């Protein structure tokens, strides 16, 4: 077998990295960044448990269901065109510390589907709690899966805390309107509303992780969606993965990565 054909090998990762960069040169910068995390509470996973088994006891089931869900997600995006026409996409799969698979996906849209204005961003990305009176199911999913932390002064022991600060830059600020490009990132609309009780914490829009309402409601995945306004942002993710893979195995135990490209 050729060294570049062995998934996860340095040769394979270097080849895929170069392919990814060639795709950006040909088709342009990515437009959307989507993360997709395995949910061990999926019905398909729990339905396969026997006796006192828990999801962590059956990594084989976890991987198979995750792969099925990922294929379903990519089919909805690429064939059904929920974001428009996708020219190409790149995704990376990693295994997190608790062995749950997790995918990072970059989408490049055609010129007719490009996201150009803040209204286009708001059409696909939301960073607010939905109204429980109009869409109770979506509200329940968002409050269960798409609320960060809480962290900061109300929970200093949260895993995201580094030197007294949240490494994910939460708590966000209230914002009446979306801003398209601030230092390479959009700032999403987070209007001031009455807080809601989630567990023992009082939560408002400042704690919501950006998501796509249609995907979240219809597929019940743990999804984060971001608009990518500058090429340097998407290149940062690709460069980060290839750098990790070139380290000795003892230094990246939490990650086993694949690059996948599709024209």
């Amino acid at each position: 077998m050729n060294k570049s054909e062995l998934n996860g090998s340095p040769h394979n990762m270097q080849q895929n990295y170069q392919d990814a960069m060639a795709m950006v040169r040909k088709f342009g910068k990515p437009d959307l960044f989507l993360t997709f995390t395995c949910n061990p509470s999926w019905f398909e996973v729990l339905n396969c448990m026997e006796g006192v088994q828990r999801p962590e006891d059956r990594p084989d089931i976890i991987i198979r269901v995750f792969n099925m869900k990922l294929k379903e997600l990519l089919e909805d995006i690429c064939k059904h065109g929920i974001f428009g026409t996708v020219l190409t996409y790149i995704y990376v799969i990693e295994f997190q510390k608790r062995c749950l698979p997790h995918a990072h996906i970059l989408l490049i849209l055609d010129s007719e589907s490009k996201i150009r204005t803040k209204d286009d961003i708001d059409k696909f990305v939301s960073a607010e709690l939905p109204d429980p009176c109009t869409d109770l199911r979506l509200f329940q999913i968002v409050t269960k899966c798409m609320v960060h932390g809480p962290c900061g002064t109300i929970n200093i022991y949260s895993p995201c805390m580094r030197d007294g600060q949240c490494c994910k830059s939460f708590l966000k600020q209230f914002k009446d309107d979306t801003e398209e490009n601030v230092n390479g990132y959009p700032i999403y609309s987070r209007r001031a509303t009455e807080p809601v009780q989630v567990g023992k914490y009082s939560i408002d829009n400042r704690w919501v992780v950006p998501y796509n309402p249609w995907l979240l409601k219809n597929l019940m995945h743990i999804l984060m969606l971001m608009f990518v306004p500058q090429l340097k942002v998407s290149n940062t993710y690709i460069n980060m993965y290839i750098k990790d893979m070139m380290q000795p195995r003892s230094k990246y135990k939490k990650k086993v990565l694949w690059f996948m490209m599709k024209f």
Side-chain angles (χ1 to χ4, degrees), residues 20 23-24 26-28 30-31 78 85-90 105-110 260-263:
M23 290 168 62
V24 173
K26 179 175 176 61
F27 296 105
D31 299 285
C78 298
T85 302
V86 176
L87 291 177
T88 185
Y89 62 85
I90 307 166
I105 307 168
L106 288 170
L107 305 173
I108 302 177
L109 307 177
D110 74 347
M260 300 295 292
M261 280 74 66
K262 180 67 176 179
F263 291 88

Side-chain angles (χ1 to χ4, degrees), residues 26-86:
K26 179 175 176 61
F27 296 105
K29 72 177 183 67
D31 299 285
L32 291 171
F33 171 65
L34 178 68
T35 68
F36 165 59
T37 304
C38 178
N39 185 351
S41 297
W42 278 329
F43 168 78
E44 295 88 345
V45 173
L46 298 179
N47 196 43
C48 292
M49 298 299 104
E50 299 178 356
V52 295
Q53 283 184 340
R54 296 171 57 86
E56 54 265 32
D57 299 324
R58 296 298 304 272
D60 56 326
I61 299 297
I62 290 286
I63 299 304
R64 291 178 183 180
V65 173
F66 175 79
N67 189 50
M68 292 167 50
K69 296 281 189 179
L70 180 59
K71 287 182 178 179
E72 181 184 0
L73 171 63
L74 293 174
E75 183 173 332
D76 283 329
I77 293 173
C78 298
K79 292 186 178 180
H80 300 161
I82 61 175
F83 298 126
T85 302
V86 176

Side-chain angles (χ1 to χ4, degrees), residues 214-260:
W214 189 91
L215 284 176
L216 194 64
K217 183 178 179 181
N218 289 278
L219 301 180
M220 290 191 67
H221 300 328
I222 302 175
L223 289 162
M224 183 186 76
L225 180 65
M226 291 177 60
F227 167 57
V228 183
Q230 287 189 355
L231 179 60
K232 68 177 184 179
V233 178
S234 55
N235 281 1
T236 297
Y237 287 105
I238 297 175
N239 282 313
M240 175 181 67
Y241 291 126
I242 194 68
K243 180 180 178 182
D244 281 347
M245 283 304 298
M246 292 307 169
Q247 299 298 320
R249 289 189 177 274
S250 61
K251 295 186 179 180
Y252 63 92
K253 289 181 179 178
K254 77 166 187 174
K255 292 185 178 179
V256 179
L257 307 173
W258 293 269
F259 269 105
M260 300 295 292

Side-chain angles (χ1 to χ4, degrees), residues 18-200:
Q18 297 297 339
D19 288 345
M21 292 296 98
M23 290 168 62
V24 173
R25 286 195 298 269
K26 179 175 176 61
F27 296 105
K29 72 177 183 67
D31 299 285
L32 291 171
F33 171 65
L34 178 68
T35 68
F36 165 59
T37 304
C38 178
N39 185 351
S41 297
W42 278 329
F43 168 78
E44 295 88 345
V45 173
L46 298 179
N47 196 43
C48 292
M49 298 299 104
E50 299 178 356
V52 295
Q53 283 184 340
R54 296 171 57 86
E56 54 265 32
D57 299 324
R58 296 298 304 272
D60 56 326
I61 299 297
I62 290 286
I63 299 304
R64 291 178 183 180
V65 173
F66 175 79
N67 189 50
M68 292 167 50
K69 296 281 189 179
L70 180 59
K71 287 182 178 179
E72 181 184 0
L73 171 63
L74 293 174
E75 183 173 332
D76 283 329
I77 293 173
C78 298
K79 292 186 178 180
H80 300 161
I82 61 175
F83 298 126
T85 302
V86 176
L87 291 177
T88 185
Y89 62 85
I90 307 166
Y91 71 84
V92 183
I93 299 175
E94 69 180 41
F95 288 84
Q96 299 178 320
K97 290 183 178 179
R98 288 178 289 180
C99 297
L100 289 177
H102 175 83
H104 288 182
I105 307 168
L106 288 170
L107 305 173
I108 302 177
L109 307 177
D110 74 347
S111 59
E112 297 292 327
S113 306
K114 292 289 185 184
I115 298 175
R116 307 182 189 279
T117 67
K118 63 181 181 180
D119 291 333
D120 292 335
I121 298 175
D122 290 337
K123 183 170 66 173
F124 294 121
V125 186
S126 175
E128 297 182 330
L129 293 168
D131 186 351
C133 296
T134 58
D135 200 333
L136 178 60
R137 182 166 176 266
L138 181 61
F139 174 81
Q140 292 172 337
I141 297 173
V142 170
T143 52
K144 180 179 180 180
C145 301
M146 303 306 298
V147 172
H148 176 80
C151 58
T153 56
I154 63 176
N155 184 13
I156 61 174
Y157 299 108
S158 176
C160 64
M161 295 295 290
R162 303 287 188 276
D163 299 322
Q165 300 291 329
C166 174
C167 64
K168 307 298 183 183
S169 300
F170 281 88
L171 171 119
K172 304 294 186 180
Q173 299 299 315
F174 285 125
K175 193 77 176 174
D176 290 332
D177 296 298
T178 298
E179 289 189 36
E180 298 174 44
N181 190 346
V182 179
N183 296 323
Y185 294 91
I187 297 181
Y188 302 108
S189 171
R190 298 174 186 269
R191 291 164 293 185
T193 57
E194 290 295 322
V196 299
Q197 197 69 23
V198 178
K200 61 180 180 179

